[in-house]
Amino acid sequence: MTDRYDVITIGGSAGSLAVITKILDALPPHINTPVVIVLHRLRNVRSEMSRLLSTKRTISEPEDKEPVKEHCIYLAPQNYHLLVEAERTFMLDYSELVNYSRPSIDMTFSSIADVYGEKALGILLSGANKDGAAGLCQIVAAGGMGIVQDPQTADFEVMPRSALDMCKGVKCLSVADMIRYIMGEIL
Amino acid sequence: MIQDISNADFLDIINILKLQYGYDFTGYAHASIRRRISRFMTYMRLATVFDLKHRLVNDEECFDRMVQYITVNVTEMFRDPHFYRTMREQVLPKLAAYPNIKIWHAGCSTGEEVFSMAILLEEAGLLNRSRIYATDLNPVNLEKASSGILPLNNMRDYTQNYIQSGGLNDFSNYYVARYDNVLIKKELRKHITFFQHNLVTDKVFNEFHLVCCRNVLIYFNRSLQNSVLKLFHDSLAARGYLAMGIKETMKFADIHEQFETVHVQHKIYRRKE
Ligand SMILES: C[S@@+](CC[C@H](N)C(=O)[O-])C[C@H]1O[C@@H](n2cnc3c(N)ncnc32)[C@H](O)[C@@H]1O
């Protein structure tokens, strides 16, 4: 059995936490496909985000050069950009903010587009700025799949709306349909 | 919008930098350096990779600006305050055993980390018998670092960091404010020597009791990390300390068995005998 995707990457900002929790809770505990999550977080506030996100799943913040492993859910650590290198290992980058954000969703999405091509599934959720839109378009341009949360169902619509405006070929789904889509493709 | 640079073009650019200017970026983590090169092109308004190559071959100033631009220079005083607290509590008391303490900050950027270390040493009563060597690849950073001048508006954050690191003094005793800047006091800086050293091409230059190399190795690939860690190993006295950045780890390095772990989260290691 081969999965359609080798990685699922999810980005979100304001209003996305509950949606991410919902998606993770819906995933079967032993899915192969690694999940890489990028959330905008507050700078220098010791974050309980990884615990908050979901109680059922173990979520880890990768360290530099850690391989992207199956069955694992990763969260970009606060204050670093999270990239994936050609060897499918993580790289952490403490450079300037991108779209006023670090971690920046664009940075992660764009590196995943380069490395995974058509084997990448990118999902962009609610958020109040446009970080992630360009990256999602890169995933689509590289042959992968890009999905946004239907702006009408998002607490903040700027983020998914920007992706829809920026490129064609991005799918627009409600959260329930998104979950249905993922389940259909990874099992 | 960031331009995509093909792998062949990327290697060409790396080659020009190496052959013409002697700076070898081959072992840098590609995902990040490629992105930085293409950002540099946008910044210089160079439309194509051909334009960039052309400029690099003919214009040394373009090269200088490129080095400044593609290396990540972001730094802070007392960045990761808890790391500094561990240094105070677990490492400095051990360093106190040496009559003369030698420390190397590799990849020191504009000096903030080095000044923080000087403050720790001062507060532990060790600064007078310490010598700090602080190196970087980037000459512009080193010039700034040597001046001891930092922007005033960062000081509020740094004061918070300092307090969280366990600092008990009035932080403003360590600098004098002048207009929009501060000058780190001479008494702290006189124990520090800043100079250029490229971790890729330059060699061991002394023996140290502590090597601090934080947030530099993340920009290197595995094999370059391995050779730089070997360089640090060879630059350390037996039982000397190595401090890395919070997200960096010895775990995947060839040489990890030659080090013991002093603090897992704060990435402090110690050379075995
Ligand atoms: C992100 S800064 C880290 C500054 C400081 N250590 C800290 O953690 O705040 C990275 C520094 O590494 C330097 N660097 C990059 N490549 C280098 C090399 N090959 N040799 C020496 N320094 C290098 C850069 O110029 C930059 O100043």
Side-chain angles (χ1 to χ4, degrees):
Chain A
M1 185 193 77
T2 56
D3 293 318
R4 162 74 178 86
Y5 299 110
D6 282 355
V7 71
I8 300 174
T9 182
I10 306 176
S13 187
S16 69
L17 198 57
V19 180
I20 293 186
T21 309
K22 212 167 176 178
I23 296 175
L24 293 183
D25 284 347
L27 293 181
H30 290 297
I31 70 159
N32 287 331
T33 321
V35 180
V36 179
I37 301 168
V38 186
L39 269 169
H40 292 163
R41 304 157 81 168
L42 288 176
R43 196 170 174 276
N44 284 344
V45 174
R46 205 172 163 185
S47 172
E48 300 298 314
M49 192 85 78
S50 44
R51 221 170 303 161
L52 264 180
L53 262 173
S54 164
T55 45
K56 282 195 267 172
R57 316 290 309 226
T58 325
I59 297 174
S60 66
E61 296 187 350
E63 289 188 328
D64 183 50
K65 300 291 177 280
E66 206 172 302
V68 183
K69 287 208 291 255
E70 293 196 331
H71 309 298
C72 293
I73 301 178
Y74 300 99
L75 177 65
Q78 67 185 118
N79 250 333
Y80 288 81
H81 299 300
L82 181 66
L83 308 181
V84 179
E85 284 272 327
E87 309 76 58
R88 299 195 174 183
T89 54
F90 286 110
M91 187 241 161
L92 290 137
D93 180 336
Y94 187 87
S95 54
E96 301 77 10
L97 308 188
V98 172
N99 304 320
Y100 310 100
S101 317
R102 189 176 53 216
S104 142
I105 304 169
D106 272 344
M107 293 271 273
T108 305
F109 279 11
S110 140
S111 74
I112 283 182
D114 279 349
V115 171
Y116 288 88
E118 56 170 34
K119 301 294 262 179
L121 167 59
I123 299 177
L124 192 61
L125 304 173
S126 166
N129 78 7
K130 65 178 182 51
D131 186 32
L136 195 70
C137 292
Q138 276 178 272
I139 289 179
V140 173
M145 170 63 78
I147 298 178
V148 295
Q149 179 180 0
D150 183 347
Q152 298 196 334
T153 72
D155 287 355
F156 295 86
E157 61 164 38
V158 176
M159 196 172 268
R161 174 87 59 209
S162 313
L164 287 171
D165 290 347
M166 207 174 283
C167 62
K168 293 202 176 54
V170 170
K171 249 194 217 306
C172 175
L173 298 178
S174 70
V175 176
D177 284 341
M178 218 182 265
I179 291 172
R180 223 165 282 136
Y181 176 83
I182 301 172
M183 304 290 269
E185 293 293 343
I186 60 167
L187 288 180
Chain B
M1 182 78 194
I2 300 289
Q3 264 222 40
D4 225 19
I5 301 178
S6 77
N7 205 40
D9 280 335
F10 172 69
L11 295 176
D12 277 355
I13 295 166
I14 295 293
N15 242 334
I16 296 173
L17 301 180
K18 185 156 107 186
L19 298 178
Q20 187 160 339
Y21 298 100
Y23 281 66
D24 187 357
F25 291 98
T26 315
Y28 282 57
H30 285 190
S32 122
I33 193 140
R34 270 165 85 157
R35 190 180 167 89
R36 299 191 76 77
I37 293 174
S38 76
R39 277 181 70 231
F40 177 69
M41 288 172 58
T42 312
Y43 162 76
M44 295 289 283
R45 296 163 193 267
L46 296 167
T48 67
V49 177
F50 178 83
D51 295 332
L52 173 64
K53 290 195 247 178
H54 188 263
R55 277 292 285 278
L56 279 176
V57 170
N58 294 296
D59 176 2
E60 182 159 350
E61 204 203 307
C62 174
F63 165 76
D64 291 341
R65 288 167 82 166
M66 180 156 166
V67 169
Q68 177 64 18
Y69 205 88
I70 65 177
T71 56
V72 175
N73 307 314
V74 183
T75 184
E76 280 173 30
M77 283 186 85
F78 292 96
R79 173 173 176 184
D80 310 314
H82 296 95
F83 159 80
Y84 284 94
R85 187 185 276 270
T86 306
M87 292 301 286
R88 285 182 197 274
E89 290 169 359
Q90 294 186 29
V91 177
L92 296 198
K94 294 281 168 42
L95 294 184
Y98 299 103
N100 294 298
I101 303 166
K102 285 198 289 185
I103 299 176
W104 177 18
H105 284 265
C108 65
S109 193
T110 39
E112 283 79 344
E113 173 188 284
V114 192
F115 303 139
S116 310
M117 183 62 71
I119 290 172
L120 287 195
L121 290 163
E122 169 67 12
E123 295 185 356
L126 301 175
L127 187 61
N128 278 324
R129 51 195 173 94
S130 301
R131 187 78 240 155
I132 306 178
Y133 300 81
T135 63
D136 202 276
L137 152 116
N138 185 331
V140 179
N141 288 348
L142 290 166
E143 211 169 292
K144 284 191 193 155
S146 308
S147 76
I149 297 170
L150 306 176
L152 177 65
N153 54 17
N154 291 339
M155 284 300 158
R156 201 166 350 132
D157 281 349
Y158 295 172
T159 306
Q160 286 310 313
N161 287 353
Y162 167 76
I163 293 167
Q164 281 185 45
S165 81
L168 298 174
N169 291 347
D170 182 348
F171 190 57
S172 63
N173 285 342
Y174 294 116
Y175 58 83
V176 261
R178 287 200 302 213
Y179 307 106
D180 292 340
N181 291 314
V182 306
L183 178 66
I184 301 291
K185 286 209 171 144
K186 184 83 187 137
E187 297 81 73
L188 290 171
R189 286 187 294 125
K190 71 177 187 211
H191 303 271
I192 307 169
T193 315
F194 289 101
F195 60 99
Q196 199 177 21
H197 179 282
N198 186 339
L199 290 167
V200 180
T201 41
D202 293 330
K203 302 282 178 283
V204 174
F205 61 92
N206 209 326
E207 190 179 84
F208 300 97
H209 304 111
L210 165 64
V211 173
C212 241
C213 182
R214 310 190 68 224
N215 307 298
V216 181
L217 294 180
I218 40 176
Y219 301 103
F220 297 171
N221 68 20
R222 276 272 294 277
S223 97
L224 181 56
Q225 286 189 355
N226 280 329
S227 68
V228 174
L229 286 169
K230 171 91 171 52
L231 173 71
F232 292 153
H233 180 267
D234 297 345
S235 302
L236 281 168
R239 314 286 297 142
Y241 289 89
L242 171 64
M244 295 164 62
I246 291 298
K247 297 295 168 196
E248 293 166 333
T249 174
M250 182 71 83
K251 212 161 49 189
F252 306 114
D254 289 350
I255 207 167
H256 74 271
E257 285 186 345
Q258 319 265 346
F259 285 91
E260 63 192 55
T261 303
V262 176
H263 198 292
V264 165
Q265 275 101 40
H266 297 155
K267 305 298 155 55
I268 303 170
Y269 302 91
R270 196 165 190 188
R271 186 192 146 142
K272 292 184 181 165
E273 292 291 343

